[in-house]
Amino acid sequence: MRSKLFVPGSRPALFAKALASDADMLSLDLEDAVAEADKQAARAQVAALLSGAPHRAAGKQMVVRVNAWSTAAWEADLRAILPLDIDLLNLPKIESAEQLRQAVAEIEAIEVRLPSRRAVGLLVNIETPRALRHAVAIAKAHPRVRGLQLGLGDLFEPHGIRRDDLRNVHATQYALRFAAAEAGVFAYDAAFPGLDDEAGFRAEAESARALGYLGKSCVHPRQVAWANAVFAPSEGEIEAAQRTVDAAERSGEGAFAVDGRMVDAPFLARARAVLALAERGRA
């Protein structure tokens, strides 16, 4: 999940290009990227895409960002999207565990009437100071939560926090990463608004990667290559991970030595994750 490309649901002309891109995930957006007057049409266009076969043939994880649970569009989004084949539902503007539980209750009230009764996983946006303060509780509020995603624009802009100062970015990434770690979910990095600023994008992405984020959101196809390059494991990392997995299979013990250092279950889990990511990158 090195890269997640946002695609406005109101622009179906972009769907085929997005499916053909190198992004690991597509995030079909019904929220901020869609004008109020276009939301109904966007809902129908996203549903049409996800009802067909081509989106799975592309081999991508599919995410839909719905409108916030407190808005008029929320229930209509759920009714249109929940019957469809998606991997994650992206929830914006959640600020507390109670809000998350209310949202899940409304999701479940619709799912229970669906033939499949499949419980969709949730990717929750953390995009306000209150949400960041309650991020652990939000992530722990329901087992459907798979990950937390930073929204740096919403976090920084209203409060005059400078995004061009990487210290501010790193501090916020750090706080969210440890919240996600405490809750046992993954952390995903924010979208970067500078479409031509490769250096700025990479600086944020490299900071996130150093903290163990899975990948970075992209708002333009050209950013996908930048994200994939930053979050792809290096040959050295792949080789070290393979040595760790091989040693675990030979050892059969809880802790063992690899390359002169002690390794136990968390290191082994990370090594297997690196190999899985490398395999996806070769596919």
Side-chain angles (χ1 to χ4, degrees), residues 188-241:
Y188 210 82
D189 199 26
F192 184 79
L195 303 185
D196 299 313
D197 184 2
E198 182 176 355
F201 182 100
R202 283 179 175 267
E204 287 192 1
E206 288 164 0
S207 175
R209 188 183 192 276
L211 288 167
Y213 279 66
L214 289 191
K216 188 168 182 63
S217 300
C218 304
V219 293
H220 191 279
R222 75 168 60 96
Q223 295 179 333
V224 169
W226 306 341
N228 288 349
V230 170
F231 287 95
S234 68
E235 287 302 317
E237 289 171 324
I238 295 169
E239 291 168 3

Side-chain angles (χ1 to χ4, degrees), residues 85-117:
D85 181 22
I86 64 172
D87 295 291
L88 292 169
L89 197 67
N90 183 200
L91 302 187
K93 310 299 187 290
I94 294 291
E95 291 192 298
S96 69
E98 179 57 30
Q99 290 179 3
L100 190 282
R101 285 190 287 266
Q102 288 180 36
V104 171
E106 294 176 26
I107 290 168
E108 290 177 339
I110 294 173
E111 282 180 337
V112 74
R113 297 193 291 272
L114 299 177
S116 67
R117 298 197 177 188

